[in-house]
């Protein structure tokens, strides 16, 4: 157990077993790296982007600016719910528990070295 608080006035100690365990979200994203290519299924469209399911209980956002090289008014111009797409992880925000994804950077030359390194390390 981990001591999480001490109340001297009331003579109490707060304990936690859960805080000794690894954060479940961190466990799920441990195998992911920024720049990595990953398969995802489009689950929901909004005016600001599209959400994609990466694993059973892990989703990320493809911001509207990351869907296409061209300016679009709504994500439905590029993807629809149920589409299976290859995406690039562009941001993993552990504090806010968010994953940023990109469809337009999948074939980006800026990531070609990383793609080769990841392909060779498999």
């Amino acid at each position: 157990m981990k001591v999480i608080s001490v109340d001297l006035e009331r003579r109490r100690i707060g304990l936690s077993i859960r805080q000794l365990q690894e954060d479940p979200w961190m466990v799920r994203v441990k195998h992911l790296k920024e720049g990595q290519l990953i398969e995802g299924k489009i689950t929901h469209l909004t005016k600001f982007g599209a959400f994609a399911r990466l694993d059973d209980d892990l989703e990320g956002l493809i911001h509207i600016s990351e869907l296409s090289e061209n300016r679009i008014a709504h994500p439905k111009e590029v993807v629809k719910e149920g589409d299976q797409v290859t995406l690039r992880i562009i941001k993993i925000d552990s504090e806010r528990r968010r994953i940023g994804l990109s469809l337009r950077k999948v074939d980006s030359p800026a990531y070609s070295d990383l793609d080769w390194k990841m392909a060779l390390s498999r």
Side-chain angles (χ1 to χ4, degrees):
M1 291 206 192
K2 179 180 178 180
V3 176
I4 57 172
S5 65
V6 177
D7 186 341
L8 296 175
E9 280 184 25
R10 295 172 49 192
R11 298 175 53 154
R12 293 188 179 191
I13 298 172
L15 302 171
S16 173
I17 293 174
R18 189 173 54 122
Q19 288 189 8
L20 291 176
Q21 299 170 346
E22 197 170 0
D23 179 343
W25 192 85
M26 294 301 292
V27 170
R28 289 195 303 266
V29 300
K30 193 185 315 187
H31 70 285
L32 302 177
K33 292 178 179 41
E34 287 185 13
Q36 173 183 344
L37 291 174
I38 190 164
E39 292 296 314
K41 183 177 184 177
I42 304 299
T43 58
H44 183 69
L45 302 179
T46 67
K47 62 182 178 183
F48 58 85
F51 288 89
R53 181 171 311 286
L54 307 177
D55 287 332
D56 290 335
D57 56 354
L58 195 60
E59 280 194 337
L61 171 67
I62 313 163
H63 189 269
I64 194 166
S65 65
E66 292 296 334
L67 282 167
S68 173
E69 291 290 339
N70 304 318
R71 187 168 171 82
I72 59 171
H74 194 277
K76 66 184 174 187
E77 296 175 36
V78 180
V79 293
K80 65 182 184 305
E81 289 184 19
D83 283 355
Q84 194 75 24
V85 292
T86 299
L87 301 162
R88 188 171 301 279
I89 299 171
I90 57 172
K91 185 170 187 174
I92 299 174
D93 185 343
S94 300
E95 281 186 26
R96 296 171 66 198
R97 295 172 185 243
R98 293 186 177 170
I99 300 172
L101 303 166
S102 176
L103 184 61
R104 71 182 182 94
K105 291 183 180 165
V106 167
D107 294 323
S108 172
Y111 290 96
S112 59
D113 285 346
L114 178 65
D115 291 342
W116 275 106
K117 287 177 187 172
M118 287 185 152
L120 292 173
S121 67
R122 289 182 186 174

